Amino acid sequence: MGILKTVEGGVTAAKGFEAAGVEAAVKYQNRKDMALVYSATPCKVAGVFTSNVVKAAPVVWDQKIVASAPYVQAVVVNSGIANAGTGTQGMDCCRQEAACAGEALGIPPEAVLVASTGVIGKQMPVERLQEGIRKLAAAKSASLDAGLDAARAIMTTDTVHKQIAVQVEIGGREVTLGGMCKGSGMIHPNMCTMLAFVTTDANISKEMLQKALSADVVDSFNMISVDGDTSTNDTLLVLANGLAGNEEITGEGPDYHTFCEALHQITTYLARKMAGDGEGATALFETKVVGAATREEARILAKSVICSSLTKAAIFGHDANWGRILCALGYSGVIFDPEHVDLYFQDKERRIHIYGNGVGQDYSEEEATKILSSPEVTVLVDMHMGTQEATAWGCDLSYEYVRINADYRS
Amino acid sequence: MGILKTVEGGVTAAKGFEAAGVEAAVKYQNRKDMALVYSATPCKVAGVFTSNVVKAAPVVWDQKIVASAPYVQAVVVNSGIANAGTGTQGMDCCRQEAACAGEALGIPPEAVLVASTGVIGKQMPVERLQEGIRKLAAAKSASLDAGLDAARAIMTTDTVHKQIAVQVEIGGREVTLGGMCKGSGMIHPNMCTMLAFVTTDANISKEMLQKALSADVVDSFNMISVDGDTSTNDTLLVLANGLAGNEEITGEGPDYHTFCEALHQITTYLARKMAGDGEGATALFETKVVGAATREEARILAKSVICSSLTKAAIFGHDANWGRILCALGYSGVIFDPEHVDLYFQDKERRIHIYGNGVGQDYSEEEATKILSSPEVTVLVDMHMGTQEATAWGCDLSYEYVRINADYRS
C-alpha cells in the first residue's frame, strides 16, 4: 500500500470540504456550540449508530438518510442538548434543522444530516438552532481553522478537541481523510461512539464505504469505554466526495485495503483520544490482550479490564492492584486457566512482569508506581492460548468523574 | 404458611449454632478479623459460589466440600486477605486452616469450610491464622453477642455489620434461620455475593437445601451490584442442623415453600443491606421494574439501571436525571418502545411521575430532589408489556468510592 502520512487539520483537510463552528446559545453561553461540515460536491455516506433501543431523534433521522438518500452534502451538529427523550417534538426539530440548512446552503433537506449531544430529555430551542444554522452557512470555509472551530463546537465535557487527518496514495492519486469527534461521558459505544465525523475525498462506492466503516468500528470505537453507558446518540458518519479523482473503489482489492488502513488510522486515533479524555480522566488506560484463542475472546477480555470500576480506581491511585485485573479477566465470560496467564504493566519506556504461574511476581512496587503515573498506562495480558490479539482503551476513574456527573444538569 | 417473624440475632439465633469473632492480625490491626460459625450437631450444607473463572482458594476448597462431604460443622472466615491469586500455596493454606480447626474443634477437617475476603494476590500468614483459629475455638458461644462478633469480624470496607434472624413454624415446630454477610466493593454477584452465611435448625435434605438456595439467589444476591465487578471470592453458604425437629423436608410442598419464604426474607434483607452499604454509598438505590413481558427481562432491565455509573453519580448528586435511567434501560439488551414506558421516583412517602409518552413529565424538581435525598431511593419502571416484575438494589457512586479504591492496598 501507499505510504500513510499524517497531515494538518481535521474535517476540512480533504479536498472540497468546508466547515464552521459558531455560538448559538443552544444551552451553553459564550462558547461555540454548533458545527457544520459541508461539501459542495455530493457525497457518498456511511454511518454506524447506537445500539441503544432508546435512540435520540437525530439518530433516527440520520439512519433514514444514510439508508435511503442518494447523496448528502451537510452535517449540522449541536452540543448542549441531546434531542433524546423528546418524542415527536424532537423529530420535528430534526426536520426543521434540515429544512433550514437546506435553504441556507441551497441543497435538498434530504442531503442534511443532523447530530446532537448533551443532556437528555430537554426540548430543543428550534429558533436558536435555525439562527445558528444561518450563521454556520455564512461562516463556512475550507480552511483548517474552520475545521478546528467545528471540532471545538461539538465538545461537551471534553477537555480537548479531537481531530486528525491522513494522506495516502490510492490508484496514483493523493487521497485525504480527516476526522473529528467528541466524548466524553456515556461512552461505551456498541456500534460507534458519541459523535464522530470523517470526511474524505476518496472515490469509493457507498456499499464499500459502509463495509469499510462497519468492519472498522469493531476494533476502534467499539473497543473503548469511559463508563459503560452506551449513549442514546452515538453516531459515526463518513462522507466521501470523490474529489481525489482515484478510480472508484467498488470491491475488495489493494485500493480498498489502503483506504481501510487510512480509515483505521483516523478512527483509532480518535477513539484513543476519546478514551484518554474521558470524563475526569487523568490517564489513558490501555489493555492489550495477546495469545488469545480467538479474536473475539481477545476483545472481550481486553474490554472487561478497561471497564472494571475497581481497576480504573486503582489506576487513578497509581496502585499496582493486579488482582483486580485478573478478577476482571475472570468474570469476562471467557474460559481460561488463571495459572497460565501472564500480566505485565508497561509504558513507553519499560515493562514489568507482575503476575504469572498463578501468583504475583517479585516486581519493584516503585517501578510499578512509575508506570502507573504515566499519562498512558498499558496492561499487557498474555493468555498463552493462541495467536489472536486485541486492544481496548479506557481511562481511570477519578473524583472528577463523580463531580462532573453528580451535577451535570445544573 | 406459618407466620414469619423477625427475631434478635444472626448466625447464632438458630438452635445449636455457636460463633465467635477474634483479633488475629491477618492484615488489620486492633480489630476482629477472624470469625467462626460452628454446630456440634452435623449440618447439611448448600452453597453457591462466584462464577468468576479466577476463583480464590477457599472457593475451590468449599466447592469440593459442599459437593462431596457428608456433613459439615464449621466455617472459618478471615477478612483482610482474600487468598486469591495465591496458587498452590493458597490451597495449602486452606488445608492447614481446616486441619487446625478440625483439631481445635474435635471434628474432621472435611467438616470445615473456609472463606476469605480482602486484597487479592497476597499470601496468607498461616501461623497467625492457626493462632486465630485456636482463639476462635476457645471463644465460641451460642450467645447472640457471639454472632454479632462474627458479623463484625468479617467486615472489610463495610461501615456496618449485617445480620438478621427470622422464625417460622414448619410442621408444627418453630424453625429459626439466621444470617450474616459482608460487602462492600467488588460486588456484582453472579452466583451469590462476597461472603454470606445462613444457619438454620430446620430439618431439610441436602438436595432440597441446595435447591432452595439456588432458586433464591436469582432474586436476592444476584440482583445487587455495587460496582459491576464480580469477585473471585463470592461465597454463600447455608448450614442446616435439623435441631428444630420438624419432619425432614425432602420434596416440594407447603413446608418447603415456607422454608423458602423464610430463606428469602433473610437473603433479601442481607442483599439490600449490602447494596446500601456499598463502598462510599450515601443511599440505597432500588429499581423496581413492573409490567415486563418476562421475569428475566424484568431482572435485566432493573439491573441495567442500578449498574449505570452515570445514573449512580446522578443519585449521589440528588439530580433527577431520568435521561440516564431511560438510557440504561435502552442498552440493557431488552427490546422495547421508549414511547410506552413510564418512569417514577419514589420514597416511603411520595411518588412522582417523571417520564411518560416519550417525554419528560411536568414534575416538581423540588419534590424530586427531596426523594433523591432519601437514604433509600426507588425508581419505578412500568414497561406496559406484561405482568412480570423484578427488583434490583445498588447504591450511588460517590467521591468516597473512588477514594477507597484508589488506595485500598495502602
Side-chain angles (χ1 to χ4, degrees):
Chain A
M1 62 168 262
I3 290 157
L4 189 67
K5 66 169 194 258
T6 305
V7 296
E8 292 280 295
V11 289
T12 53
K15 284 190 198 78
F17 283 96
E18 296 172 64
V22 301
E23 293 184 19
V26 176
K27 173 165 174 274
Y28 306 125
Q29 302 298 321
N30 304 317
R31 56 155 280 196
K32 293 188 165 69
D33 61 348
M34 285 194 76
L36 171 72
V37 176
Y38 171 76
S39 168
T41 307
C43 302
K44 309 276 174 47
V45 64
V48 284
F49 302 93
T50 184
S51 60
N52 198 314
V53 302
V54 180
K55 291 182 205 312
V59 169
V60 177
W61 175 269
D62 287 357
Q63 283 184 315
K64 209 179 101 200
I65 301 287
V66 168
S68 63
Y71 63 87
V72 301
Q73 289 187 256
V75 188
V76 172
V77 193
N78 76 278
S79 55
I81 304 180
N83 196 5
T86 46
T88 51
Q89 202 176 325
M91 283 310 302
D92 282 345
C93 176
C94 295
R95 256 184 297 275
Q96 288 174 79
E97 285 181 76
C100 178
E103 197 173 325
L105 296 164
I107 59 174
E110 299 79 37
V112 180
L113 296 151
V114 295
S116 298
T117 172
V119 66
I120 300 177
K122 270 208 185 333
Q123 293 294 349
M124 301 275 272
V126 178
E127 285 176 19
R128 290 210 291 281
L129 286 166
Q130 290 168 328
E131 187 60 30
I133 289 166
R134 286 187 283 267
K135 277 193 197 176
L136 287 167
K140 74 183 192 312
S141 146
S143 71
L144 296 187
D145 279 352
L148 184 59
D149 282 349
R152 284 185 171 144
I154 64 175
M155 290 162 65
T156 53
T157 50
D158 306 65
T159 66
V160 291
H161 67 272
K162 299 161 187 82
Q163 65 170 9
I164 185 182
V166 301
Q167 275 178 350
V168 70
E169 200 186 286
I170 296 181
R173 298 302 183 105
E174 183 180 81
V175 168
T176 305
L177 293 86
M180 66 177 182
C181 72
K182 56 85 55 190
S184 64
M186 211 177 265
I187 299 287
H188 184 81
N190 201 354
M191 272 310 282
C192 65
T193 188
M194 277 290 275
L195 297 183
F197 308 98
V198 179
T199 56
T200 178
D201 46 26
N203 189 15
I204 180 169
S205 72
K206 184 167 178 173
E207 187 195 343
M208 295 313 288
L209 187 64
Q210 184 67 52
K211 186 171 187 171
L213 184 64
S214 297
D216 183 81
V217 294
V218 179
D219 286 307
S220 59
F221 288 110
N222 282 1
M223 289 305 286
I224 69 170
S225 180
V226 168
D227 50 19
D229 284 275
T230 302
S231 153
T232 51
N233 288 56
D234 290 350
T235 298
L236 166 56
L237 296 168
V238 183
L239 277 63
N241 66 13
L243 291 180
N246 60 299
E247 193 186 337
E248 190 180 19
I249 300 170
T250 55
E252 293 196 25
D255 287 357
Y256 174 73
H257 292 293
T258 301
F259 179 78
C260 287
E261 284 284 336
L263 180 64
H264 194 62
Q265 186 92 346
I266 298 271
T267 54
T268 51
Y269 175 88
L270 293 175
R272 276 178 63 107
K273 275 280 175 195
M274 203 177 299
D277 190 33
E279 284 180 341
T282 70
L284 174 75
F285 173 36
E286 177 177 81
T287 297
K288 182 168 186 179
V289 171
V290 301
T294 69
R295 190 78 176 271
E296 187 51 20
E297 287 195 355
R299 289 187 191 112
I300 290 168
L301 288 161
K303 277 197 85 167
S304 188
V305 174
I306 60 123
C307 288
S308 156
S309 292
L310 285 170
T311 304
K312 287 154 61 85
I315 301 290
F316 174 61
H318 304 166
D319 176 8
N321 201 320
W322 56 263
R324 295 178 181 171
I325 297 167
L326 188 66
C327 177
L329 294 168
Y331 63 67
S332 66
V334 174
I335 303 301
F336 64 90
D337 180 353
E339 309 279 314
H340 293 117
V341 171
D342 283 298
L343 299 182
Y344 305 83
F345 281 132
Q346 64 184 38
D347 62 12
K348 280 178 181 151
E349 285 158 32
R350 61 216 124 188
R351 170 188 295 184
I352 54 174
H353 190 199
I354 48 173
Y355 172 86
N357 292 313
V359 294
Q361 297 300 297
D362 190 24
Y363 60 89
S364 148
E365 287 277 353
E366 196 186 339
E367 275 288 290
T369 304
K370 263 186 211 160
I371 292 177
L372 292 167
S373 307
S374 308
E376 298 195 0
V377 175
T378 298
V379 170
L380 176 66
V381 180
D382 191 341
M383 302 301 294
H384 298 290
M385 294 169 76
T387 60
Q388 296 300 306
E389 53 185 77
T391 304
W393 301 279
C395 60
D396 57 341
L397 174 61
S398 71
Y399 300 117
E400 193 60 11
Y401 177 84
V402 177
R403 194 195 60 75
I404 292 168
N405 288 300
D407 66 354
Y408 177 67
R409 292 197 320 164
S410 48
Chain B
M1 60 169 264
I3 291 156
L4 188 68
K5 65 169 193 258
T6 305
V7 297
E8 292 281 295
V11 289
T12 53
K15 284 191 200 77
F17 283 95
E18 297 173 62
V22 301
E23 292 184 18
V26 176
K27 171 165 175 274
Y28 305 125
Q29 303 298 323
N30 304 316
R31 55 153 283 193
K32 293 188 164 67
D33 62 347
M34 284 193 76
L36 171 72
V37 177
Y38 171 75
S39 168
T41 307
C43 301
K44 310 277 175 46
V45 63
V48 284
F49 302 93
T50 184
S51 59
N52 198 314
V53 303
V54 180
K55 291 182 206 312
V59 169
V60 177
W61 174 268
D62 287 358
Q63 283 184 314
K64 210 180 102 202
I65 302 287
V66 168
S68 63
Y71 63 88
V72 302
Q73 289 188 256
V75 188
V76 172
V77 193
N78 76 277
S79 56
I81 303 180
N83 197 5
T86 46
T88 51
Q89 201 176 325
M91 284 310 301
D92 283 344
C93 177
C94 295
R95 256 184 298 275
Q96 289 175 80
E97 285 180 78
C100 178
E103 196 173 328
L105 295 164
I107 60 175
E110 300 78 38
V112 180
L113 296 152
V114 294
S116 299
T117 171
V119 66
I120 300 177
K122 271 209 183 334
Q123 293 295 348
M124 301 276 271
V126 177
E127 285 176 21
R128 291 210 292 280
L129 286 165
Q130 290 167 329
E131 187 58 33
I133 289 167
R134 286 186 284 267
K135 278 195 196 173
L136 287 167
K140 73 183 191 311
S141 148
S143 71
L144 296 187
D145 279 352
L148 184 58
D149 282 348
R152 284 183 173 146
I154 64 174
M155 291 163 63
T156 52
T157 50
D158 306 64
T159 65
V160 292
H161 66 273
K162 299 161 188 82
Q163 64 171 8
I164 186 183
V166 301
Q167 275 179 349
V168 71
E169 201 185 286
I170 297 181
R173 300 300 181 107
E174 185 180 81
V175 168
T176 306
L177 293 87
M180 65 177 183
C181 71
K182 57 84 51 190
S184 66
M186 212 178 267
I187 300 287
H188 183 80
N190 202 355
M191 271 310 281
C192 65
T193 186
M194 278 291 274
L195 297 183
F197 308 98
V198 179
T199 56
T200 179
D201 46 24
N203 189 13
I204 180 169
S205 72
K206 184 169 176 170
E207 186 195 342
M208 295 313 287
L209 188 63
Q210 184 67 52
K211 187 171 185 172
L213 184 65
S214 297
D216 184 82
V217 294
V218 179
D219 286 308
S220 58
F221 288 110
N222 281 2
M223 289 305 285
I224 69 170
S225 180
V226 168
D227 50 17
D229 284 275
T230 303
S231 155
T232 51
N233 287 56
D234 291 350
T235 298
L236 166 57
L237 296 167
V238 183
L239 276 63
N241 65 11
L243 290 180
N246 59 299
E247 193 185 337
E248 190 181 18
I249 300 169
T250 55
E252 294 197 25
D255 287 359
Y256 174 73
H257 291 295
T258 301
F259 179 79
C260 287
E261 284 282 337
L263 180 63
H264 194 62
Q265 188 92 347
I266 299 270
T267 53
T268 51
Y269 175 88
L270 293 175
R272 275 178 62 107
K273 276 281 175 196
M274 203 176 299
D277 191 32
E279 283 180 341
T282 70
L284 174 75
F285 173 37
E286 177 177 82
T287 297
K288 182 168 186 179
V289 171
V290 301
T294 69
R295 191 79 177 271
E296 187 52 20
E297 287 195 354
R299 289 187 191 113
I300 290 168
L301 288 162
K303 277 197 86 167
S304 188
V305 174
I306 60 127
C307 288
S308 155
S309 292
L310 284 170
T311 304
K312 288 155 59 88
I315 300 290
F316 174 62
H318 304 165
D319 176 9
N321 200 321
W322 56 262
R324 294 178 181 171
I325 297 166
L326 188 67
C327 178
L329 294 168
Y331 63 66
S332 67
V334 174
I335 303 301
F336 64 89
D337 180 353
E339 309 278 315
H340 293 117
V341 171
D342 284 297
L343 299 182
Y344 305 83
F345 281 132
Q346 64 185 36
D347 62 13
K348 279 175 182 155
E349 285 157 34
R350 60 216 123 188
R351 171 189 294 183
I352 54 174
H353 190 199
I354 49 173
Y355 172 86
N357 292 314
V359 293
Q361 298 299 297
D362 189 22
Y363 60 89
S364 148
E365 287 278 352
E366 196 186 338
E367 275 288 289
T369 304
K370 263 188 211 158
I371 291 178
L372 291 168
S373 307
S374 307
E376 298 195 0
V377 175
T378 299
V379 170
L380 177 66
V381 180
D382 191 341
M383 302 300 294
H384 298 290
M385 293 168 76
T387 60
Q388 296 301 306
E389 53 185 77
T391 305
W393 301 279
C395 59
D396 56 342
L397 173 62
S398 71
Y399 300 117
E400 194 60 11
Y401 177 85
V402 177
R403 194 194 60 74
I404 292 168
N405 287 301
D407 66 355
Y408 179 65
R409 293 196 319 165
S410 49

